[in-house]
Amino acid sequence: QAKLSGKNRWQLFDAERDRNLRGHNENLDRIRLGLEQQEFVLYYQPKVNLRTGAVIGAEALIRWQHPERGLLAPGQFLPDIEGYSLDISVGEWVLETALKQLRQWLALGIELPISVNIAGHHLQQANFEDRLVELLQDYPDVPTRLLELEVLETSALQDIEHVSSVIRSCSRLGIEFALDDFGTGYSSLTYLKRLPAHSLKIDQSFVRDMLDNEDDLAILQGILGLAKAFQRQVIAEGMETAEHGSLLLKLGCELAQGYGIARPMPAHLMADWLKNWQPHPDWAAQADSNTF
Ligand code: C2E
Ligand code: MG
Ligand code: MG
Ligand code: MG
């Protein structure tokens, strides 16, 4: 059996690459069509204060209600559009949909801030703030403080000067930023000094594993210390159980989000959830034992 010559190997490789590109282009086209056909939806996951029981906001999380493939999670389609202009179209759709939702909730007497995840590539656009201001002008009845933005710590670090300036201009508009998945980047004192984000969202991996991994517990405590020193709000992601909640309170982390509180849900279920939500009795007990 003859071995492929170097040249043929390249031809094989190119053919495969071409097929992948074509597959990728089909994915992009399908997502573009999905946007037109309004197949995307936002789910909302509450963020609460474990000590007081107050619901402090909800994170908007995109889903794709695909007619053939069912409800798709962001990990199943966002990677395809990362870095393409389509991720800006999707990002703008998410911002607009969140603003519509805020307006709708306000009409029902619900004043619940929504946090929107912004892709690094979207945030890096030179006209990000201008586009945001344009969008906000269409929703004059929605107070800007009800919209919050999240950017991955790792994306923020890629262009720290630009991201810092976006954070500052958004802050002037009344819109706060959170550094998402915090702890997975450099999480250094110097970077934090240069990134005027209002809050840090502790990555869920540390929260999940803090109960049985001392290193994760140490990282989590380190982030809490960092947040305190820089006077940033801190919120734990991925709080899956009451046990996690109790430990978070014991460590002085009052704000949390996770399946142990609520899973992400469609917007129409939120009003009922808000009515029925009660913090776990253990959390309050934990908080009481902390007051000196
Ligand atoms: P993220 O912003 O860190 O959002 C938290 C993710 O963790 C969500 O996954 C949420 O459903 C999940 N989660 C929440 N609590 C728990 C828990 O207790 N346990 C576990 N195992 N998971 C929990 P989801 O919705 O699949 O989103 C994944 C990521 O996709 C998000 O991570 C965010 O980075 C990105 N994403 C979601 N929606 C958007 C969007 O509208 N725009 C952009 N650019 N990115 C988005
Ligand atoms: Mg997020
Ligand atoms: Mg996160
Ligand atoms: Mg994440």
Side-chain angles (χ1 to χ4, degrees), residues 82-83 87-88 91 117-124 128 150-151 155:
E82 203 181 309
D87 81 1
I88 298 163
N117 293 283
I118 305 292
H121 175 240
H122 188 188
L123 199 66
Q124 276 153 27
F128 180 82
E150 298 186 5
V151 60
S155 306

Side-chain angles (χ1 to χ4, degrees), residues 114-212:
I114 294 180
S115 348
V116 166
N117 293 283
I118 305 292
H121 175 240
H122 188 188
L123 199 66
Q124 276 153 27
Q125 302 304 301
N127 64 352
F128 180 82
E129 294 108 304
D130 295 342
R131 296 283 301 148
L132 187 59
V133 168
E134 273 173 33
L135 196 58
L136 291 168
Q137 279 165 354
D138 294 337
Y139 297 83
D141 43 346
V142 175
T144 52
R145 66 182 157 76
L146 292 182
L147 181 67
E148 296 166 0
L149 303 179
E150 298 186 5
V151 60
L152 293 176
E153 183 201 3
T154 45
S155 306
L157 295 181
Q158 275 170 21
D159 192 353
I160 203 160
E161 289 318 318
H162 178 69
V163 171
S164 300
S165 101
V166 173
I167 293 179
R168 269 190 297 273
S169 13
C170 285
S171 171
R172 279 193 293 273
L173 293 171
I175 298 172
E176 307 283 16
F177 257 90
L179 296 177
D180 205 352
D181 295 5
F182 197 82
T184 60
Y186 290 109
S187 316
S188 84
L189 299 162
T190 331
Y191 285 126
L192 202 52
K193 181 181 166 211
R194 289 163 63 196
L195 282 170
H198 178 250
S199 52
L200 312 179
K201 291 191 88 174
I202 305 177
D203 188 62
Q204 46 184 283
S205 59
F206 308 117
V207 179
R208 193 188 324 113
D209 298 334
M210 69 179 176
L211 292 174
D212 33 46

